[in-house]
Amino acid sequence: MNDKGFTPSNLQQLLGQYKRTKKTQTGLLKLAQLCSTVTDMSAFYQRLQAIIKRYFPAKNLYIQQFSADSNISRDNYYIDELRCSPIEQQLTPDVVDFISSIAKPVLIQLDKVCIYQSDSQLIERPFPNRHQHSHCVDAWLAAPLTIDGELIGIVGIKGFINENQNPRVNLQLISFISDIISAAIERNKNRQLISLYSKDVSDIVDAKTAQLQQTNRRLRQQIEQKSKSELKLHYDAHHDALTQLPNRAMFTERLEQTIKHIKRHRTDRFAVLFIDIDRFKVINDTLGHHVGDLLLIEIAKRILHCIRGNDILSRLGGDEFVILLDSLGHSDDAEDIANRVIEALKTPFSIEGHHLYTSASIGIAICDHQYQSATDVLRDADAAMYQAKSMGRSRLMFYDASMREELLKDLNIEQQLQQALAHQHFRIVYQPILELKTKQVIGYEALLRWQNQQQAVTAKDFINIAEKCGLIIDIEHWTIVEVAKKLKHWQQQQQSLFISINLSGKHLSHNKQTSDLIALLKANVNEPQGLIIEFNEQAFNQTSRHTLQNLKRIEKTGVRLALDDYGSGLSSLHYLNNYPFELIKLDQKFVRSFETNERNLQLAKSLASLGQSLGFNLVAEGIETENQWQKAVDAGCQFGQGFYFGQPRAIDDRVDNQGDDVNNCA
């Protein structure tokens, strides 16, 4: 359901109602125009037949006029799809008497009668006693013909079937038809009087005609205004207000139609591309929603140039777009269009003096007759998009069934993490960090573990999921408080040991989160130089200038900073020269490569030499053998950690002067 409360079913109903209303209003306008030009009643009835046949559900329209002194029939006309001609009286005397007595539009169905009193009132009652030997057809929808309040006849639909089950609408319709036919009869009568009477009569007729024309103009204006309002309502209900693209409701409706099509044509296929704009939230939060809205409009324009004429681009909301690729020949076609979109969005956008760079992560669902609903298609395309996003920005990914299983698994873990955070079902283990040459313990790295009783989840997996679902900040805040307690006990014992803790880059991405971290550190860490905070390179891949500013704010609290997993990817010397890191922790794969890769060993030696100039030390991670320890020493690494020195474990609040833990527990 969209933000206005519409669903596909009631929107379809609204559209059908709009079409019927428009058709009826057009017919009324045609009748009004016919009435204003009538000069001959025979010709009038012929033209009336054409309008009735096209615009109204009145296939058996019967018109009966009375003589001037009684209800005796004078002129009877019968209009159906095949003919328009005078016939014998059709209404039985009891029906004529009944309609004449109440002078209101009525719907007669056997012995039941529905009387139209006003727009807000309908009266239902049984039919009165019939005349002897009288017989009534199954149904009549009828209304009196009046001129200046005087009954001149009856118009009715013989054998009427109430298709829309709404008597008020049908009674209003026959009332309008009655008014227009009455006006035509009156105009014809006036025309005849003009030829018989003096100019005074002619003036009266002209005045009446002018009044009728004015009424017709008002009716025409009302009809046109209502048509415009309904068209606008329909457009607004199916389009995004910002980009003017089809919205979720219209896209879902078209997608459902496409699914029905491939049910009948089982060899046909189509595809849905789910597009998420990378880094849009950063741009929106940094430069404001106005710039963000302008960016979305430009993005929509570029994507439109990438699709075919019969495809549909829709904005679901936020920075999410979807494309319906109709009549898909091959999956390569979907991949080609996705690549076109990715390339189109790589070119920077110039918006109000800002040069904005963005990209797109795209999930593709190739659809055949196996799909049952639009919801299923969007779900799978969305899952593929998240998979593409998790592998890096500016990518595309085709959906397969394993993605849904992975998402369900992640959702289950997320729910368990929520419970774990609420009940503090976490623990911290500590891995020693040593001075490599002397093997003296100088500190520990605090590692978070989750005591999950339902399934085995690695630390890497649950931390990744915590980052995706937004729980990582709260979890790491809890970790900082616990580590601060441990550090405080050691400092009270005059132990010169430090504790390092690895934090998510989300602490640096927004000023508020950085401020919250700083406040937490000031409130819990007494001697901040004993705490080392580690960030990996991914924290600085985007908006590096912004994150550098926040990193320097954290440094001012007195804590020391470390760059984690250096050498795991495209590591930049820029981090070593411009960022305030005291420790550079070499990735364990890079460290282990020293045994077989002489170039990496020499590179590490160069980094160690550079560190002497720039003021940082190297920490070798993942040392598991004596040979790896010796290679790390040869490379110039001052510190190290790994299973060779000790596995991560829980320790109590007391350590000796050499840094060995006492009374520890695994």
Side-chain angles (χ1 to χ4, degrees):
M1 182 176 290
N2 67 6
D3 55 358
K4 294 186 178 180
F6 292 105
T7 63
S9 60
N10 63 30
L11 285 174
Q12 184 67 32
Q13 183 180 2
L14 179 62
L15 182 59
Q17 181 181 352
Y18 160 73
K19 291 180 178 178
R20 290 192 298 272
T21 302
K22 182 178 179 182
K23 182 177 179 181
T24 301
Q25 291 174 341
T26 302
L28 291 174
L29 182 59
K30 295 288 186 181
L31 287 177
Q33 293 172 340
L34 174 61
C35 172
S36 65
T37 60
V38 61
T39 58
D40 179 75
M41 290 306 294
S42 297
F44 169 80
Y45 290 136
Q46 293 289 344
R47 294 173 64 186
L48 179 65
Q49 176 195 25
I51 296 174
I52 292 294
K53 176 180 178 181
R54 181 174 181 182
Y55 293 101
F56 298 98
K59 298 181 179 180
N60 304 301
L61 187 67
Y62 171 70
I63 301 170
Q64 176 176 324
Q65 290 189 58
F66 301 147
S67 62
D69 56 347
S70 70
N71 285 350
I72 299 174
S73 175
R74 186 180 66 184
D75 293 317
N76 302 324
Y77 260 83
Y78 189 70
I79 299 173
D80 64 10
E81 294 180 336
L82 300 176
R83 59 178 178 155
C84 174
S85 59
I87 63 169
E88 297 296 327
Q89 179 173 336
Q90 296 290 300
L91 287 167
T92 57
D94 50 353
V95 175
V96 173
D97 290 345
F98 177 69
I99 297 174
S100 300
S101 64
I102 62 173
K104 299 285 186 181
V106 296
L107 174 61
I108 301 173
Q109 293 177 309
L110 295 178
D111 292 328
K112 294 182 180 180
V113 178
C114 184
I115 304 172
Y116 180 74
Q117 289 291 113
S118 65
D119 286 343
S120 60
Q121 185 178 12
L122 296 180
I123 297 177
E124 294 187 359
R125 54 176 284 187
F127 195 89
N129 294 331
R130 302 203 180 275
H131 293 176
Q132 189 175 7
H133 308 302
S134 173
H135 177 71
C136 182
V137 296
D138 290 341
W140 276 97
L141 178 64
L145 297 172
T146 60
I147 296 178
D148 293 333
E150 180 183 354
L151 184 69
I152 64 167
I154 295 176
V155 59
I157 301 173
K158 185 178 181 180
F160 178 74
I161 298 175
N162 186 13
E163 294 181 351
N164 59 15
Q165 302 298 320
N166 190 341
R168 177 177 281 102
V169 173
N170 297 315
L171 288 166
Q172 288 175 334
L173 178 61
I174 196 65
S175 179
F176 282 133
I177 294 175
S178 171
D179 289 344
I180 290 172
I181 294 176
S182 296
I185 294 172
E186 181 182 17
R187 178 178 173 81
N188 185 63
K189 178 182 177 182
N190 291 336
R191 183 185 61 80
Q192 293 173 348
L193 290 175
I194 290 174
S195 63
L196 298 174
Y197 299 104
S198 64
K199 186 178 181 300
D200 292 337
V201 176
S202 178
D203 293 340
I204 295 174
V205 172
D206 290 340
K208 288 287 186 180
T209 303
Q211 182 181 1
L212 179 61
Q213 290 175 341
Q214 185 177 3
T215 301
N216 289 337
R217 283 196 297 270
R218 286 198 299 267
L219 176 61
R220 190 181 301 111
Q221 291 172 354
Q222 291 172 0
I223 292 173
E224 291 175 353
Q225 184 62 37
K226 189 172 183 180
S227 296
K228 290 178 181 179
S229 299
E230 290 176 343
L231 284 173
K232 187 177 186 304
L233 175 64
H234 180 268
Y235 184 88
D236 292 343
H238 289 81
H239 290 80
D240 172 50
L242 177 64
T243 62
Q244 303 305 308
L245 294 175
N247 61 10
R248 181 187 290 271
M250 184 173 181
F251 185 85
T252 302
E253 180 181 332
R254 178 62 184 273
L255 188 53
E256 292 286 2
Q257 293 174 356
T258 305
I259 292 173
K260 291 178 182 178
H261 171 81
I262 63 173
K263 293 290 184 185
R264 299 189 300 269
H265 305 83
R266 290 181 168 258
T267 58
D268 291 353
R269 293 193 307 170
F270 67 96
V272 169
L273 277 60
F274 201 112
I275 304 170
D276 183 85
I277 306 303
D278 300 326
R279 297 184 63 249
F280 175 76
K281 187 176 186 303
V282 175
I283 295 173
N284 205 40
D285 292 346
T286 304
L287 300 179
H289 294 284
H290 173 65
V291 173
D293 288 347
L294 294 178
L295 177 60
L296 288 174
I297 293 171
E298 294 305 314
I299 287 173
K301 291 178 181 178
R302 289 196 188 180
I303 298 177
L304 279 173
H305 284 95
C306 299
I307 63 177
R308 305 168 303 180
N310 58 329
D311 299 329
I312 293 180
L313 170 64
S314 170
R315 180 186 175 221
L316 297 186
D319 61 340
E320 292 180 339
F321 296 83
V322 284
I323 300 173
L324 173 60
L325 300 182
D326 202 1
S327 302
L328 189 67
H330 194 275
S331 60
D332 289 348
D333 297 339
E335 184 174 357
D336 289 343
I337 291 176
N339 281 323
R340 265 188 268 168
V341 172
I342 290 173
E343 289 301 317
L345 298 184
K346 283 183 178 179
T347 304
F349 294 84
S350 181
I351 297 177
E352 295 196 343
H354 301 284
H355 290 284
L356 305 178
Y357 291 84
T358 187
S359 57
S361 298
I362 303 179
I364 305 173
I366 303 297
C367 310
D368 54 21
H369 65 276
Q370 301 295 332
Y371 277 98
Q372 301 299 321
S373 70
T375 302
D376 295 340
V377 178
L378 288 172
R379 176 201 65 203
D380 292 348
D382 190 21
M385 182 275 293
Y386 273 106
Q387 186 71 15
K389 207 171 189 68
S390 67
M391 297 181 66
R393 295 180 173 87
S394 195
R395 288 177 177 266
L396 64 88
M397 184 67 64
F398 283 89
Y399 171 79
D400 63 60
S402 63
M403 292 180 183
R404 176 163 170 76
E405 296 174 2
E406 189 68 23
L407 285 175
L408 290 174
K409 176 184 175 183
D410 289 353
L411 179 61
N412 183 44
I413 294 176
E414 178 184 341
Q415 294 170 344
Q416 295 177 41
L417 273 175
Q418 294 276 7
Q419 294 295 321
L421 181 60
H423 299 92
Q424 298 184 1
H425 290 166
F426 298 103
R427 64 188 181 95
I428 300 174
V429 295
Y430 297 85
Q431 185 175 44
I433 300 175
L434 295 85
E435 201 282 324
L436 287 182
K437 290 184 178 180
T438 64
K439 294 187 179 180
Q440 172 73 30
V441 175
I442 59 171
Y444 293 86
E445 180 176 1
L447 302 171
L448 186 65
R449 296 293 183 264
W450 178 20
Q451 297 170 299
N452 187 354
Q453 304 298 325
Q454 300 185 27
Q455 58 182 309
V457 183
T458 66
K460 181 179 179 181
D461 286 343
F462 86 75
I463 288 175
N464 285 340
I465 293 173
E467 285 212 31
K468 291 179 183 177
C469 66
L471 293 175
I472 191 64
I473 297 294
D474 291 335
I475 292 174
E476 290 183 343
H477 279 189
W478 176 87
T479 306
I480 290 172
V481 172
E482 294 301 310
V483 167
K485 293 177 184 177
K486 182 77 66 179
L487 194 59
K488 182 177 180 180
H489 280 287
W490 291 358
Q491 291 167 346
Q492 289 173 346
Q493 298 173 15
Q494 305 298 315
Q495 301 296 329
S496 58
L497 297 171
F498 66 79
I499 298 178
S500 70
I501 180 172
N502 198 309
L503 297 185
S504 165
K506 291 185 180 295
H507 292 281
L508 303 174
S509 59
H510 297 285
N511 292 336
K512 183 181 183 307
Q513 291 174 347
T514 303
S515 298
D516 291 343
L517 175 60
I518 291 172
L520 187 70
L521 293 173
K522 289 181 177 180
N524 291 275
V525 182
N526 293 336
E527 298 181 25
Q529 70 276 7
L531 180 64
I532 297 177
I533 296 180
E534 304 176 18
F535 294 101
N536 60 32
E537 294 179 32
Q538 293 180 353
F540 311 103
N541 287 342
Q542 303 293 335
T543 61
S544 57
R545 182 178 179 182
H546 179 72
T547 53
L548 175 58
Q549 292 172 348
N550 284 332
L551 190 68
K552 290 180 177 179
R553 290 175 60 197
I554 295 173
E555 182 193 24
K556 291 179 180 179
T557 65
V559 300
R560 293 183 286 171
L561 301 174
L563 180 62
D564 193 26
D565 295 335
Y566 190 80
S568 60
L570 298 176
S571 302
S572 172
L573 293 176
H574 174 70
Y575 299 134
L576 308 183
N577 185 37
N578 296 309
Y579 285 69
F581 297 121
E582 292 189 23
L583 296 177
I584 305 297
K585 303 187 76 172
L586 301 181
D587 182 70
Q588 58 182 354
K589 291 182 180 179
F590 183 62
V591 172
R592 292 169 187 170
S593 72
F594 295 165
E595 295 180 294
T596 57
N597 191 322
E598 183 64 24
R599 292 185 63 184
N600 283 355
L601 181 62
Q602 293 302 319
L603 179 58
K605 290 181 179 181
S606 299
L607 289 175
S609 176
L610 184 62
Q612 294 177 1
S613 302
L614 299 180
F616 62 81
N617 293 318
L618 297 183
V619 181
E621 294 186 297
I623 298 175
E624 296 185 349
T625 66
E626 183 173 358
N627 188 45
Q628 291 175 1
W629 162 68
Q630 187 59 57
K631 288 292 185 182
V633 173
D634 294 343
C637 297
Q638 291 85 355
F639 311 113
Q641 63 187 95
F643 290 171
Y644 175 66
F645 304 113
Q647 295 193 11
R649 58 185 177 179
I651 60 178
D652 68 7
D653 295 328
R654 293 181 299 140
V655 294
D656 64 15
N657 291 331
Q658 285 71 42
D660 296 324
D661 54 294
V662 181
N663 297 326
N664 63 73
C665 58

